[in-house]
Amino acid sequence: MTLRAKVGRLTAMTRRRGTLRQAFERLGPGSKTRCAVETPCADNRLLEETVRERTAALEAANAKLSSSLEQLHATQTQLLFADRLIALGRIAAGVGHEINNPLAFILSNLEYIHQELQQKERLSEQDRQEILEALAETRDGAERIRLIVRDLQTLSRAEDVGSGPAELAAVVRTAAKMAMHELRHRARLVVECDGVPPVQGNGSRLGQVFLNLLLNAAQSISPGNAEGNEVRVVARPGEPGHVLVEVRDTGCGIEPEHRERIFDPFFTTKPLGVGTGLGLAVCHGIVTSLGGTLTMESAPGRGSVFRVTLPVAGAFVQPQRPQADWT
């Protein structure tokens, strides 16, 4: 290598070193540390911003979900009351008949008493006794009307008064009286519900359940052969801590392809304008919300049996999904 070449090589190396030195000088003291630290800090800021955005999104979604749940609960409450009003509409004509009968002899007896007291200044012992009997019948008729109105008020109450001990036998008897106008010309009604303990529930809601089941049983039987058909309601101890109620009829039964959908909302096998498809769905919701189960067995031409299990008062358990054994 010539001297000139060696000098050129040394000059180039010096220039490169000067360039590197200038670069480090521009960075200044501590710049190496800042480069190592600033990059993690930027990552942390990005991560924090991402967390804040995700948290805000979750809070918004949670608020929207809470609002939807409130709307769903309000809709469910309205649906329960709507079904109760539908049941009341179905029994309105029969209740009018039940009220008209005692009202007719109340008015007749009052007219008789009024005439007797106007025509006779002094009453014989026989007349006095007849008037007292007429007054007793009038009082009985008025009491009958009072009980019918009370039953209607119990069924039509819109508010949910919560869950507590309910006398199952009294609830079933009230529902049976309300459904008699549908059953009278279709089947004999047999009720065996005495001797069972109080159940955990709401008397108004349970009355809605058994009224719907009795009306469905009645409508599964054609009118005209009341002595040849039967609707039987039997309550007895079931599984430990529970009471079992069976509503059994000798009606037309349910076709196999319809049994799996029988508790679906708005599903009905009745003609258009006769059924809404809400009754059994509402019954199922009420019973399961009280910690019980509602199942069904049926065969075409052999009738149906609906089984309701309810927890005994004081032995309330969490609602469980019913395991129906379809046949």
Side-chain angles (χ1 to χ4, degrees), residues 64-110:
K64 186 176 181 180
L65 180 61
S66 298
S67 176
S68 298
L69 287 174
E70 290 177 0
Q71 294 177 2
L72 181 62
H73 185 266
T75 302
Q76 184 182 24
T77 302
Q78 293 173 359
L79 184 64
L80 288 171
F81 187 51
D83 176 73
R84 207 176 305 174
L85 292 180
I86 291 170
L88 282 173
R90 290 165 68 183
I91 66 175
V95 169
H97 178 74
E98 293 294 328
I99 290 177
N100 278 334
N101 282 341
L103 186 60
F105 70 76
I106 286 175
L107 294 175
S108 175
N109 285 350
L110 289 175

Side-chain angles (χ1 to χ4, degrees), residues 100-146:
N100 278 334
N101 282 341
L103 186 60
F105 70 76
I106 286 175
L107 294 175
S108 175
N109 285 350
L110 289 175
E111 181 65 23
Y112 163 74
I113 294 169
H114 183 262
Q115 290 179 358
E116 287 292 307
L117 293 177
Q118 273 190 329
Q119 293 175 0
K120 299 178 180 179
E121 295 182 0
R122 300 186 64 179
L123 298 175
S124 64
E125 184 61 27
Q126 181 178 355
D127 291 337
R128 180 175 175 277
Q129 193 63 34
E130 289 177 356
I131 290 176
L132 289 175
E133 290 176 1
L135 284 172
E137 291 176 357
T138 302
R139 182 186 60 192
D140 291 342
E143 178 66 14
R144 183 176 175 186
I145 292 176
R146 186 187 70 82

Side-chain angles (χ1 to χ4, degrees), residues 128-273:
R128 180 175 175 277
Q129 193 63 34
E130 289 177 356
I131 290 176
L132 289 175
E133 290 176 1
L135 284 172
E137 291 176 357
T138 302
R139 182 186 60 192
D140 291 342
E143 178 66 14
R144 183 176 175 186
I145 292 176
R146 186 187 70 82
L147 292 175
I148 292 172
V149 172
R150 183 199 64 185
D151 293 341
L152 282 173
Q153 289 174 335
T154 299
L155 182 64
S156 62
R157 286 164 62 184
E159 70 273 12
D160 187 357
V161 295
S163 176
E167 293 294 337
L168 185 62
V171 169
V172 172
R173 282 195 293 268
T174 297
K177 286 190 292 183
M178 304 289 282
M180 272 308 297
H181 75 283
E182 286 281 355
L183 288 164
R184 185 176 290 112
H185 304 294
R186 300 171 185 263
R188 294 175 290 106
L189 176 62
V190 179
V191 178
E192 300 176 359
C193 293
D194 294 328
V196 293
V199 297
Q200 188 76 19
N202 176 295
S204 177
R205 293 288 172 86
L206 289 177
Q208 185 176 355
V209 169
F210 291 111
L211 177 60
N212 269 321
L213 294 180
L214 287 169
L215 290 175
N216 283 345
Q219 292 178 352
S220 72
I221 301 171
S222 299
N225 185 22
E227 289 301 318
N229 289 289
E230 181 181 270
V231 174
R232 181 178 292 268
V233 185
V234 179
R236 63 176 184 271
E239 298 178 355
H242 288 74
V243 172
L244 171 65
V245 185
E246 290 187 348
V247 180
R248 188 182 298 269
D249 66 68
T250 57
C252 60
I254 301 171
E255 297 295 331
E257 61 269 22
H258 296 152
R259 292 175 199 160
E260 292 186 359
R261 300 186 58 196
I262 200 68
F263 296 118
D264 290 352
F266 304 108
F267 176 77
T268 180
T269 59
K270 298 174 183 177
L272 183 65

